[in-house]
C-alpha cells in the first residue's frame, strides 16, 4: 500500500489523556491536571483531546467519561473533545446518544464519539457494568447501528427518541486494537483510530484491513486513520528515559494484575521486572517514542512514514504534571504546531 509521504507538520496531532491518578494524589487533582493540559495543548495547536473509559482502575479517573468530556469542553474553546473511547457494550445506545447529544448541544461542533467494544476493565467489573454475563460485545455492530439511528434526523418518527441527540452531527469513530473494528469501520465508511500505543504488533495489519475494506459513506469519501502512540519527550534523552519508567511500572502492575496509582519514575527498572516481564512490556510499548526533541521528531516521522496515518493521537503517561506539559510542548514545537 503506497501512501504519499506526509510530514509531521502536515497532519493534525491530538492528545489521549487517561486522567492518571498519581501515587498519593486524588481524582480531584487528576481532573485539575487534565483540564490544565487541555488548556495548554489547545494553545499549542493540538486538534482533539480524548478521554478513555476505564473502570475499577486505581490509577485512572476517567470512568464517567462523558462527564469529564463536558468538564474539559467547558474549560476550552476551540479544541475538539471526545471519547477514546466509550465502551459501547457497557451502555445502552440510547443513553450514549442522549449523553453525546447533550454534549454536542452544549459545545456545538466540538464533540467526538469514539467507540470501542472491550470492557475497559476486568471480567468482574464488566459483569457489574453490563449486568448480563452473556454480553460479550459480539453484538457491537447492532448496537452501533442502533446508536446511529438515534442521531438520525428521521428518528423523530420512531417510538423511542434521543432528545437531545436526533438530527445532531456527532462524528462517530471506531477504535480498535485488532482487526474486528478495522474491518467494520472500513465497511461503514467511518474514521478509524488504532491503539498502536498498546497493540503495536497489530498496527499495520489493522490499517491494511481498514483501508482495503473501506467503502465511501456520507461521512467520509476516503479512509481516515488515526494512530495512537506513547511519547515521552524531554529536553534530554536521559530525562525522557527516566520519566518513561512511570508508564513502564504502570504496565508492569497491569500484567501482574495488581493495577495501582501511577508511580513516580525510577532510575532503573532493573530489579523491578523479570527478564520475561521486561520483554513482554517492551513488545507492548514498541511504538513508544522516548527521547530528546531531535530523537522524538525522527521517531514520530518514521512512524508516520510507516503507517501513512492521517492523524496521530499521543498519550504521555508521566508522573509529574509539569514534565507532561513539557512533553506535549516539545511535540508541538517539532511538528510546527506552535504559533505563539
Amino acid at each position: 500500500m503506497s501512501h504519499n509521504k506526509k510530514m509531521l507538520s502536515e497532519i493534525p496531532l491530538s492528545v489521549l489523556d487517561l486522567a492518571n491518578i498519581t501515587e498519593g494524589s486524588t481524582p480531584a487533582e487528576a481532573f485539575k491536571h487534565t483540564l490544565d493540559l487541555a488548556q495548554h495543548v489547545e494553545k499549542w495547536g493540538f486538534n482533539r483531546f480524548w478521554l478513555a473509559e476505564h473502570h475499577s482502575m486505581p490509577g485512572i479517573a476517567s470512568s464517567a467519561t462523558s462527564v469529564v468530556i463536558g468538564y474539559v469542553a467547558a474549560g476550552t474553546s476551540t479544541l475538539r473533545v471526545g471519547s477514546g473511547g466509550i465502551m459501547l457494550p457497557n451502555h445502552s445506545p440510547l443513553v450514549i446518544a442522549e449523553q453525546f447529544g447533550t454534549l454536542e448541544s452544549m459545545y456545538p461542533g466540538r464533540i467526538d464519539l469514539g467507540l470501542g467494544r472491550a470492557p475497559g476493565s476486568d471480567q468482574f467489573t464488566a459483569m457489574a457494568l453490563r449486568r448480563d454475563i452473556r454480553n460479550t460485545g459480539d453484538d457491537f455492530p447492532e448496537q452501533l447501528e442502533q446508536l446511529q439511528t438515534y442521531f438520525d434526523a428521521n428518528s423523530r418518527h420512531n417510538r423511542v427518541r434521543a432528545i437531545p441527540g436526533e438530527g445532531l452531527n456527532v462524528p462517530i469513530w471506531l477504535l480498535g486494537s485488532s482487526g474486528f473494528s478495522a474491518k467494520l469501520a472500513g465497511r461503514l465508511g467511518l474514521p478509524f483510530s488504532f491503539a498502536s500505543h498498546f497493540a503495536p504488533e497489530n498496527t499495520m495489519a489493522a490499517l491494511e484491513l481498514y483501508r482495503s475494506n473501506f467503502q465511501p459513506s456520507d461521512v467520509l469519501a476516503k479512509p481516515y486513520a488515526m494512530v495512537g502512540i506513547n511519547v515521552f519527550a524531554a529536553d534530554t534523552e536521559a530525562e525522557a528515559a527516566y520519566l518513561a519508567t512511570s508508564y513502564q511500572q504502570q504496565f508492569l502492575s497491569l500484567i501482574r494484575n495488581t493495577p495501582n496509582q501511577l508511580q513516580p519514575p525510577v532510575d532503573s527498572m532493573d530489579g523491578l521486572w523479570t527478564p520475561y516481564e521486561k520483554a513482554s512490556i517492551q513488545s507492548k510499548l514498541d511504538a513508544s517514542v522516548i527521547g530528546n526533541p531531535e530523537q522524538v521528531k525522527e521517531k514520530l516521522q518514521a512512524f508516520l512514514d510507516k503507517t501513512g496515518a492521517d492523524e496521530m493521537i499521543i498519550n504521555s503517561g508521566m508522573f509529574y504534571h509539569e514534565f507532561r506539559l513539557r512533553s506535549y510542548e516539545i511535540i508541538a514545537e517539532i511538528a510546527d504546531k506552535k504559533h505563539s
Side-chain angles (χ1 to χ4, degrees), residues 74-86:
T76 51
S77 55
T78 55
L79 203 57
R80 294 197 68 90
V81 190
S83 57
I86 289 283

Side-chain angles (χ1 to χ4, degrees), residues 19-332:
N20 284 124
I21 306 167
T22 53
E23 187 187 48
S25 81
T26 62
E29 287 172 82
F31 295 137
K32 279 196 193 106
H33 288 156
T34 284
L35 181 57
D36 187 55
L37 175 63
Q39 289 167 340
H40 277 87
V41 298
E42 176 171 77
K43 215 166 52 199
W44 294 334
F46 283 82
N47 185 34
R48 52 185 109 239
F49 191 97
W50 278 8
L51 292 136
E53 176 187 342
H54 288 280
H55 298 278
S56 210
M57 303 283 252
I60 298 178
S62 51
S63 54
T65 319
S66 50
V67 180
V68 189
I69 290 170
Y71 169 69
V72 171
T76 51
S77 55
T78 55
L79 203 57
R80 294 197 68 90
V81 190
S83 57
I86 289 283
M87 299 301 135
L88 194 53
N90 292 343
H91 309 277
S92 115
L94 176 61
V95 169
I96 295 304
E98 289 169 343
Q99 287 179 0
F100 280 77
T102 300
L103 288 166
E104 176 60 29
S105 302
M106 291 173 170
Y107 311 103
R110 294 182 52 209
I111 300 298
D112 294 327
L113 174 49
L115 298 170
R117 66 185 187 113
S121 59
D122 58 73
Q123 288 322 113
F124 291 107
T125 310
M127 261 176 70
L129 284 161
R130 300 179 181 182
R131 300 190 306 280
D132 178 356
I133 191 140
R134 293 171 308 234
N135 183 342
T136 55
D138 292 339
D139 58 350
F140 180 75
E142 290 75 37
Q143 279 193 299
L144 172 61
E145 198 180 342
Q146 216 180 354
L147 178 63
Q148 287 177 306
T149 305
Y150 289 127
F151 283 125
D152 190 337
N154 291 325
S155 70
R156 64 178 182 277
H157 306 302
N158 298 350
R159 284 289 291 274
V160 179
R161 300 166 63 182
I163 299 169
E166 64 187 28
L168 293 180
N169 173 27
V170 179
I172 290 179
W173 289 69
L174 293 196
L175 277 52
S177 56
S178 67
F180 181 92
S181 294
K183 217 169 177 168
L184 186 61
R187 275 212 322 270
L188 299 175
L190 293 172
F192 176 59
S193 181
F194 187 76
S196 21
H197 58 295
F198 65 78
E201 66 286 357
N202 299 336
T203 305
M204 297 313 294
L207 291 175
E208 178 54 44
L209 266 177
Y210 171 58
R211 290 169 177 144
S212 61
N213 281 281
F214 187 83
Q215 288 166 19
S217 67
D218 301 347
V219 190
L220 281 182
K222 56 187 210 294
Y224 193 92
M226 178 159 73
V227 288
I229 185 164
N230 300 304
V231 179
F232 302 90
D235 293 303
T236 68
E237 185 180 1
E239 187 175 69
Y242 172 68
L243 294 166
T245 59
S246 293
Y247 197 67
Q248 290 164 344
Q249 292 176 77
Q250 191 178 33
F251 247 90
L252 184 59
S253 71
L254 279 180
I255 61 176
R256 288 179 174 173
N257 231 342
T258 54
N260 59 2
Q261 295 181 325
L262 189 66
Q263 299 298 301
V266 290
D267 290 326
S268 167
M269 289 292 292
D270 296 339
L272 290 182
W273 54 16
T274 66
Y276 173 76
E277 287 170 333
K278 177 180 180 175
S280 165
I281 288 168
Q282 284 181 331
S283 74
K284 279 273 182 249
L285 300 184
D286 196 35
S288 294
V289 170
I290 302 170
N292 62 33
E294 293 70 42
Q295 292 168 316
V296 169
K297 184 171 188 172
E298 191 184 315
K299 289 174 186 170
L300 277 180
Q301 184 63 52
F303 191 60
L304 177 57
D305 293 345
K306 183 178 154 187
T307 58
D310 299 291
E311 186 167 342
M312 282 186 195
I313 187 161
I314 294 164
N315 176 38
S316 200
M318 291 186 180
F319 182 82
Y320 299 108
H321 181 59
E322 61 277 21
F323 285 106
R324 184 164 67 140
L325 290 178
R326 179 67 188 131
S327 183
Y328 283 108
E329 186 179 28
I330 288 171
I331 294 161

